[in-house]
Amino acid sequence: MRYPSLGAFLRLASTAQLAFGAAVFNWPDPLLDTLDDQLYRPFFSPASTFALNCNPRDNSTIAAQWLRLAYHDMATHNATTGTGGMDASIAFEFTRPQDVGVGMIESLVDFLVAPNEYVGMADVIAMGAINAVIGCGGPVIPYRGGRVDATEAGPATVPEPQQDLASHIASFQAQGFNQTEMIMLVACGHSLGGVRQVDFPLIVTDDVPAGIQTFASTLGFDNTIVHEYLNGTTENVLVVGSNVTTRSDLRIFSSDNNVTMQSLASSDTFNTVCADLIGRMIDTVPSTVTLTDVIEPLDYKVWNTLLFPQGGSLAFLATLRIIHTGTNPTVTMFWKERTGSFCPPQGCSIGTFQVTNVDSSFLASLKGVDSFDLHSFNASVDLTTSISYFWFEVNHNDGSAPFVVDNNGKNYTIDQDVLLFDPRRSSFTIAGLEMVVGVKDPSGTTNVTALSTLTGSTEVPVTSSTTITFTLDPSWPPADGYTFYTSPISGKASSNTIHATVNGTAYSLWVPFLDAPGV
C-alpha cells in the first residue's frame, strides 16, 4: 500500500480543517450551551483546569492520563462496520489488562460531574484530550460535540506492546489510520507520560526509583521523543527496553526506515500533525453519530434565564455574555407580550442592573478571549400579558449604530409560561435541592414529574437517570395563578427535565445544575 507524502498529508489536513465552519448557537440549545461553558469558562468543567501546567499525578501527569484515556476509548472503532470509537465505552473497560493503570479510573472520576442529560461522558473525555495537550504546551485542537455514550463495553481492540508490527498496522487501519498516521499518532501520544512499573512489570524490568519510565526526557507536549529516538539518546522503554518483545514503539517508528520520524523533527510540523491527528482521533465516532461544527467562543450568548411568579408579576432574569473587548457598551433588553397589549410598539425594555467581568478558560485565552462581560437583567413582566420573546440592543457608545442581538434573527423565544422552576421558593441544602415548580393550573391536580440525570460513582463512572414525582406543597399556597409542587433533588443531579400535562397539553422544562439560589 502506498501512503501520501508528509507534504500531501499536511495539505489534506489543512483543507479538511477549512471545510468545517463554526457551530452556530441558536438558543435554546442545551448541548452547545453546556459545551461552550465547559470549554471556555473555568470551573464549569474539570477538563478545563485540572491538566493545566502539566499537573503531576501518580509519578506521571494528569494530561498524560487523559490523553491515554481518550485513545483507549477511541480504539474500539471499526471503520469498516462504522461501530465504536469515542463513545465512553471505556467506562466499562477500564478493568481489562490492556487498560490497566490507576490513571484510567482517576481520569473518569475527574470527569464525573461534567456530563448531564445532553452532554455525555464521551464529549467530556474528548474535551479532556484537547485540554491535556494545551495544558502541557501543545497546539490547540478544534473541538466538536455531540458524541453519544455507549451502554456497554466495546471490543478489546486496544493495541498492546507485545503485539507484532502487522497487528499494530491492522489495529490502526481498523481505527481509520494508515501506517504513516500510526507512526505520527504514536509519537504524538507518547510525547506525554510513560510506562508505570506497577502496571507493566514485564516491560519496565529495571529498577526505576520514580516508578515510571517516561517516553521522553521533557515533561511537556513537544517533539523531544522524536529527537531522542533519532539521535539514539532515548530512554523510551518501548524502544530500548530489555524486553525485546515489548519494543512496540521501535517497531512502529522504524517501520518505514524512519522516514516519518525524520519528517517530525520540525516542531511546527510536529504540532500541526499532532493537532490534526489527535483531532481526528477524538472525532472518531460511530457512523450513526453526527458531530457539531467546531465550537468557538460565542460573541454573544444568552445565559442563566429564569422566569417565575413573584409578588403579582413574573420575574424574568437573564444574562447576556459578551466577549470583553475593553469597551463599556450599554446593553438594553427588550421583550414582547404573549397575549394582549402592555408593552409599547418597540417592546418593553430594561437596562442592566449589573455588569460582571469573569475569567475565560485557558483554551479561550489561546483563542484570543481573555475574559467575558456578563450583563445581567432583572425584569418585572406583567402577569397577565406575560412574555413571548426577548432580544437585546448593544450600543458601543462610539458613534456606531446600536447592534441588535436577536438569536440570529429568530429572537429568544419563551415557548411557555405554564410550567416554571421557582428558584426563590426552592431551597439548597447539603443533601441537594428542594425544588419547587409552579404550574399555571388552579385546580391543583396536575401530575408533575422530573427526569433527573445523576452523576456516576468511582465504582460505576457513568451517569444514570431516575424519575421523581412532585407533590403539592402546602407551605407555598397558590399565588399569582400558580400552584406549587415540591420534590427533593439529589445532590448528584447534574440536570433535571420537569414534565407536566395541563388541560391535555404536555409541558417540559430543562433545569441545568444549580448551586445557589437565583443563579
mmCIF file of all heavy atoms in Angstrom, residues 211-244:
data_model
loop_
_atom_site.group_PDB
_atom_site.id
_atom_site.type_symbol
_atom_site.label_atom_id
_atom_site.label_comp_id
_atom_site.label_asym_id
_atom_site.label_seq_id
_atom_site.Cartn_x
_atom_site.Cartn_y
_atom_site.Cartn_z
ATOM 1 N N GLY A 211 9.298 4.946 39.712
ATOM 2 C CA GLY A 211 8.155 4.081 39.473
ATOM 3 C C GLY A 211 7.619 4.162 38.060
ATOM 4 O O GLY A 211 6.658 3.469 37.723
ATOM 5 N N ILE A 212 8.220 5.007 37.217
ATOM 6 C CA ILE A 212 7.748 5.156 35.836
ATOM 7 C C ILE A 212 8.938 5.412 34.929
ATOM 8 O O ILE A 212 9.893 6.109 35.306
ATOM 9 C CB ILE A 212 6.729 6.314 35.717
ATOM 10 C CG1 ILE A 212 6.137 6.382 34.304
ATOM 11 C CG2 ILE A 212 7.345 7.642 36.109
ATOM 12 C CD1 ILE A 212 4.983 7.376 34.171
ATOM 13 N N GLN A 213 8.901 4.813 33.748
ATOM 14 C CA GLN A 213 9.907 5.089 32.731
ATOM 15 C C GLN A 213 9.252 5.979 31.687
ATOM 16 O O GLN A 213 8.377 5.543 30.942
ATOM 17 C CB GLN A 213 10.404 3.800 32.086
ATOM 18 C CG GLN A 213 11.500 4.015 31.058
ATOM 19 C CD GLN A 213 12.750 4.643 31.661
ATOM 20 O OE1 GLN A 213 13.358 4.076 32.565
ATOM 21 N NE2 GLN A 213 13.119 5.820 31.181
ATOM 22 N N THR A 214 9.643 7.260 31.657
ATOM 23 C CA THR A 214 8.990 8.210 30.764
ATOM 24 C C THR A 214 9.412 7.973 29.324
ATOM 25 O O THR A 214 10.489 7.439 29.036
ATOM 26 C CB THR A 214 9.309 9.656 31.169
ATOM 27 O OG1 THR A 214 10.725 9.833 31.182
ATOM 28 C CG2 THR A 214 8.742 9.957 32.545
ATOM 29 N N PHE A 215 8.546 8.388 28.409
ATOM 30 C CA PHE A 215 8.830 8.231 26.978
ATOM 31 C C PHE A 215 9.889 9.214 26.502
ATOM 32 O O PHE A 215 10.628 8.926 25.560
ATOM 33 C CB PHE A 215 7.554 8.435 26.158
ATOM 34 C CG PHE A 215 6.499 7.383 26.393
ATOM 35 C CD1 PHE A 215 5.207 7.749 26.765
ATOM 36 C CD2 PHE A 215 6.786 6.039 26.240
ATOM 37 C CE1 PHE A 215 4.234 6.788 26.972
ATOM 38 C CE2 PHE A 215 5.816 5.067 26.451
ATOM 39 C CZ PHE A 215 4.533 5.438 26.809
ATOM 40 N N ALA A 216 9.934 10.391 27.122
ATOM 41 C CA ALA A 216 10.881 11.435 26.713
ATOM 42 C C ALA A 216 11.420 12.123 27.965
ATOM 43 O O ALA A 216 10.839 12.029 29.048
ATOM 44 C CB ALA A 216 10.212 12.437 25.793
ATOM 45 N N SER A 217 12.504 12.846 27.796
ATOM 46 C CA SER A 217 13.145 13.475 28.951
ATOM 47 C C SER A 217 12.473 14.778 29.371
ATOM 48 O O SER A 217 12.748 15.294 30.452
ATOM 49 C CB SER A 217 14.629 13.737 28.650
ATOM 50 O OG SER A 217 14.760 14.629 27.547
ATOM 51 N N THR A 218 11.609 15.342 28.516
ATOM 52 C CA THR A 218 10.913 16.569 28.861
ATOM 53 C C THR A 218 9.493 16.245 29.306
ATOM 54 O O THR A 218 8.902 15.235 28.910
ATOM 55 C CB THR A 218 10.850 17.535 27.669
ATOM 56 O OG1 THR A 218 10.279 16.870 26.542
ATOM 57 C CG2 THR A 218 12.246 18.035 27.303
ATOM 58 N N LEU A 219 8.926 17.142 30.112
ATOM 59 C CA LEU A 219 7.601 16.907 30.694
ATOM 60 C C LEU A 219 6.485 17.290 29.733
ATOM 61 O O LEU A 219 5.441 16.638 29.691
ATOM 62 C CB LEU A 219 7.467 17.722 31.989
ATOM 63 C CG LEU A 219 6.190 17.540 32.797
ATOM 64 C CD1 LEU A 219 6.132 16.139 33.392
ATOM 65 C CD2 LEU A 219 6.124 18.591 33.917
ATOM 66 N N GLY A 220 6.695 18.361 28.961
ATOM 67 C CA GLY A 220 5.623 18.938 28.169
ATOM 68 C C GLY A 220 5.353 18.219 26.861
ATOM 69 O O GLY A 220 6.014 17.232 26.497
ATOM 70 N N PHE A 221 4.345 18.775 26.144
ATOM 71 C CA PHE A 221 3.974 18.229 24.846
ATOM 72 C C PHE A 221 4.887 18.852 23.798
ATOM 73 O O PHE A 221 4.726 20.015 23.421
ATOM 74 C CB PHE A 221 2.505 18.542 24.530
ATOM 75 C CG PHE A 221 1.989 17.831 23.316
ATOM 76 C CD1 PHE A 221 1.301 16.636 23.429
ATOM 77 C CD2 PHE A 221 2.197 18.349 22.042
ATOM 78 C CE1 PHE A 221 0.825 15.969 22.313
ATOM 79 C CE2 PHE A 221 1.730 17.696 20.914
ATOM 80 C CZ PHE A 221 1.043 16.499 21.052
ATOM 81 N N ASP A 222 5.873 18.091 23.323
ATOM 82 C CA ASP A 222 6.800 18.573 22.298
ATOM 83 C C ASP A 222 7.382 17.372 21.570
ATOM 84 O O ASP A 222 7.030 16.221 21.850
ATOM 85 C CB ASP A 222 7.906 19.441 22.915
ATOM 86 C CG ASP A 222 8.683 18.719 24.014
ATOM 87 O OD1 ASP A 222 8.912 17.495 23.873
ATOM 88 O OD2 ASP A 222 9.045 19.351 25.014
ATOM 89 N N ASN A 223 8.278 17.630 20.635
ATOM 90 C CA ASN A 223 8.813 16.534 19.832
ATOM 91 C C ASN A 223 10.159 16.020 20.338
ATOM 92 O O ASN A 223 10.948 15.460 19.561
ATOM 93 C CB ASN A 223 8.902 16.927 18.359
ATOM 94 C CG ASN A 223 9.909 18.038 18.097
ATOM 95 O OD1 ASN A 223 10.310 18.746 19.018
ATOM 96 N ND2 ASN A 223 10.299 18.198 16.834
ATOM 97 N N THR A 224 10.406 16.170 21.626
ATOM 98 C CA THR A 224 11.618 15.594 22.208
ATOM 99 C C THR A 224 11.674 14.095 21.963
ATOM 100 O O THR A 224 12.748 13.524 21.714
ATOM 101 C CB THR A 224 11.684 15.882 23.715
ATOM 102 O OG1 THR A 224 11.694 17.289 23.928
ATOM 103 C CG2 THR A 224 12.930 15.270 24.339
ATOM 104 N N ILE A 225 10.540 13.425 22.025
ATOM 105 C CA ILE A 225 10.505 11.982 21.790
ATOM 106 C C ILE A 225 11.055 11.643 20.412
ATOM 107 O O ILE A 225 11.728 10.615 20.227
ATOM 108 C CB ILE A 225 9.069 11.433 21.950
ATOM 109 C CG1 ILE A 225 9.074 9.908 21.842
ATOM 110 C CG2 ILE A 225 8.105 12.053 20.941
ATOM 111 C CD1 ILE A 225 7.729 9.265 22.151
ATOM 112 N N VAL A 226 10.822 12.520 19.437
ATOM 113 C CA VAL A 226 11.320 12.298 18.078
ATOM 114 C C VAL A 226 12.823 12.458 18.031
ATOM 115 O O VAL A 226 13.549 11.598 17.509
ATOM 116 C CB VAL A 226 10.641 13.275 17.090
ATOM 117 C CG1 VAL A 226 11.246 13.132 15.694
ATOM 118 C CG2 VAL A 226 9.141 13.040 17.057
ATOM 119 N N HIS A 227 13.335 13.566 18.585
ATOM 120 C CA HIS A 227 14.773 13.844 18.519
ATOM 121 C C HIS A 227 15.571 12.794 19.286
ATOM 122 O O HIS A 227 16.631 12.339 18.816
ATOM 123 C CB HIS A 227 15.057 15.245 19.058
ATOM 124 C CG HIS A 227 14.620 16.334 18.131
ATOM 125 N ND1 HIS A 227 15.291 16.644 16.969
ATOM 126 C CD2 HIS A 227 13.561 17.182 18.185
ATOM 127 C CE1 HIS A 227 14.675 17.639 16.345
ATOM 128 N NE2 HIS A 227 13.611 17.977 17.070
ATOM 129 N N GLU A 228 15.098 12.404 20.449
ATOM 130 C CA GLU A 228 15.844 11.423 21.245
ATOM 131 C C GLU A 228 15.831 10.055 20.572
ATOM 132 O O GLU A 228 16.809 9.300 20.689
ATOM 133 C CB GLU A 228 15.263 11.353 22.655
ATOM 134 C CG GLU A 228 15.528 12.637 23.444
ATOM 135 C CD GLU A 228 14.973 12.629 24.851
ATOM 136 O OE1 GLU A 228 14.098 11.768 25.148
ATOM 137 O OE2 GLU A 228 15.392 13.482 25.658
ATOM 138 N N TYR A 229 14.755 9.758 19.866
ATOM 139 C CA TYR A 229 14.732 8.497 19.110
ATOM 140 C C TYR A 229 15.722 8.557 17.953
ATOM 141 O O TYR A 229 16.509 7.610 17.728
ATOM 142 C CB TYR A 229 13.320 8.235 18.589
ATOM 143 C CG TYR A 229 13.253 7.147 17.540
ATOM 144 C CD1 TYR A 229 13.329 5.805 17.900
ATOM 145 C CD2 TYR A 229 13.151 7.468 16.181
ATOM 146 C CE1 TYR A 229 13.291 4.797 16.939
ATOM 147 C CE2 TYR A 229 13.114 6.471 15.211
ATOM 148 C CZ TYR A 229 13.184 5.141 15.595
ATOM 149 O OH TYR A 229 13.148 4.158 14.637
ATOM 150 N N LEU A 230 15.712 9.662 17.215
ATOM 151 C CA LEU A 230 16.564 9.763 16.032
ATOM 152 C C LEU A 230 18.047 9.853 16.375
ATOM 153 O O LEU A 230 18.898 9.316 15.640
ATOM 154 C CB LEU A 230 16.153 10.971 15.187
ATOM 155 C CG LEU A 230 14.789 10.883 14.498
ATOM 156 C CD1 LEU A 230 14.451 12.206 13.818
ATOM 157 C CD2 LEU A 230 14.756 9.739 13.480
ATOM 158 N N ASN A 231 18.385 10.526 17.486
ATOM 159 C CA ASN A 231 19.815 10.662 17.811
ATOM 160 C C ASN A 231 20.343 9.580 18.756
ATOM 161 O O ASN A 231 21.488 9.640 19.208
ATOM 162 C CB ASN A 231 20.121 12.066 18.364
ATOM 163 C CG ASN A 231 19.417 12.336 19.690
ATOM 164 O OD1 ASN A 231 19.120 11.435 20.470
ATOM 165 N ND2 ASN A 231 19.141 13.620 19.955
ATOM 166 N N GLY A 232 19.493 8.615 19.071
ATOM 167 C CA GLY A 232 19.954 7.466 19.840
ATOM 168 C C GLY A 232 20.111 7.700 21.326
ATOM 169 O O GLY A 232 20.762 6.899 22.013
ATOM 170 N N THR A 233 19.511 8.774 21.855
ATOM 171 C CA THR A 233 19.633 9.033 23.294
ATOM 172 C C THR A 233 18.356 8.682 24.048
ATOM 173 O O THR A 233 18.257 8.944 25.248
ATOM 174 C CB THR A 233 19.962 10.518 23.538
ATOM 175 O OG1 THR A 233 18.887 11.335 23.027
ATOM 176 C CG2 THR A 233 21.270 10.909 22.878
ATOM 177 N N THR A 234 17.381 8.108 23.386
ATOM 178 C CA THR A 234 16.102 7.850 24.026
ATOM 179 C C THR A 234 16.211 6.821 25.148
ATOM 180 O O THR A 234 17.011 5.881 25.078
ATOM 181 C CB THR A 234 15.065 7.371 22.997
ATOM 182 O OG1 THR A 234 13.812 7.227 23.648
ATOM 183 C CG2 THR A 234 15.450 6.023 22.395
ATOM 184 N N GLU A 235 15.405 7.028 26.173
ATOM 185 C CA GLU A 235 15.242 6.042 27.235
ATOM 186 C C GLU A 235 13.813 5.486 27.224
ATOM 187 O O GLU A 235 13.369 4.869 28.185
ATOM 188 C CB GLU A 235 15.561 6.668 28.594
ATOM 189 C CG GLU A 235 17.015 7.088 28.728
ATOM 190 C CD GLU A 235 17.359 7.606 30.117
ATOM 191 O OE1 GLU A 235 16.464 7.565 30.996
ATOM 192 O OE2 GLU A 235 18.506 8.023 30.316
ATOM 193 N N ASN A 236 13.114 5.707 26.124
ATOM 194 C CA ASN A 236 11.772 5.181 25.945
ATOM 195 C C ASN A 236 11.824 3.656 26.036
ATOM 196 O O ASN A 236 12.413 2.989 25.183
ATOM 197 C CB ASN A 236 11.235 5.629 24.582
ATOM 198 C CG ASN A 236 9.832 5.104 24.295
ATOM 199 O OD1 ASN A 236 9.279 4.291 25.017
ATOM 200 N ND2 ASN A 236 9.269 5.583 23.190
ATOM 201 N N VAL A 237 11.198 3.099 27.055
ATOM 202 C CA VAL A 237 11.281 1.663 27.301
ATOM 203 C C VAL A 237 10.614 0.860 26.198
ATOM 204 O O VAL A 237 10.913 -0.326 26.013
ATOM 205 C CB VAL A 237 10.664 1.336 28.681
ATOM 206 C CG1 VAL A 237 9.141 1.506 28.645
ATOM 207 C CG2 VAL A 237 11.041 -0.064 29.153
ATOM 208 N N LEU A 238 9.740 1.490 25.413
ATOM 209 C CA LEU A 238 9.128 0.796 24.280
ATOM 210 C C LEU A 238 10.010 0.855 23.045
ATOM 211 O O LEU A 238 9.638 0.332 21.989
ATOM 212 C CB LEU A 238 7.745 1.401 23.976
ATOM 213 C CG LEU A 238 6.716 1.306 25.106
ATOM 214 C CD1 LEU A 238 5.374 1.872 24.662
ATOM 215 C CD2 LEU A 238 6.555 -0.143 25.596
ATOM 216 N N VAL A 239 11.200 1.472 23.199
ATOM 217 C CA VAL A 239 12.201 1.483 22.125
ATOM 218 C C VAL A 239 13.449 0.706 22.541
ATOM 219 O O VAL A 239 13.980 -0.107 21.771
ATOM 220 C CB VAL A 239 12.589 2.930 21.748
ATOM 221 C CG1 VAL A 239 13.759 2.938 20.753
ATOM 222 C CG2 VAL A 239 11.401 3.667 21.156
ATOM 223 N N VAL A 240 13.921 0.926 23.764
ATOM 224 C CA VAL A 240 15.208 0.345 24.186
ATOM 225 C C VAL A 240 15.067 -0.551 25.402
ATOM 226 O O VAL A 240 16.067 -0.934 26.011
ATOM 227 C CB VAL A 240 16.225 1.466 24.491
ATOM 228 C CG1 VAL A 240 16.540 2.265 23.241
ATOM 229 C CG2 VAL A 240 15.720 2.374 25.614
ATOM 230 N N GLY A 241 13.847 -0.905 25.787
ATOM 231 C CA GLY A 241 13.668 -1.760 26.955
ATOM 232 C C GLY A 241 14.333 -3.108 26.807
ATOM 233 O O GLY A 241 14.522 -3.621 25.696
ATOM 234 N N SER A 242 14.674 -3.709 27.947
ATOM 235 C CA SER A 242 15.369 -5.002 27.918
ATOM 236 C C SER A 242 14.480 -6.130 27.405
ATOM 237 O O SER A 242 14.982 -7.153 26.928
ATOM 238 C CB SER A 242 15.898 -5.351 29.320
ATOM 239 O OG SER A 242 14.840 -5.375 30.266
ATOM 240 N N ASN A 243 13.146 -5.941 27.500
ATOM 241 C CA ASN A 243 12.218 -6.927 26.966
ATOM 242 C C ASN A 243 11.989 -6.620 25.484
ATOM 243 O O ASN A 243 11.210 -5.732 25.130
ATOM 244 C CB ASN A 243 10.901 -6.894 27.742
ATOM 245 C CG ASN A 243 9.952 -8.009 27.332
ATOM 246 O OD1 ASN A 243 10.102 -8.620 26.273
ATOM 247 N ND2 ASN A 243 8.962 -8.281 28.178
ATOM 248 N N VAL A 244 12.694 -7.346 24.625
ATOM 249 C CA VAL A 244 12.641 -7.077 23.191
ATOM 250 C C VAL A 244 11.221 -7.221 22.649
ATOM 251 O O VAL A 244 10.798 -6.488 21.744
ATOM 252 C CB VAL A 244 13.609 -8.021 22.433
ATOM 253 C CG1 VAL A 244 13.485 -7.808 20.921
ATOM 254 C CG2 VAL A 244 15.036 -7.810 22.897
#
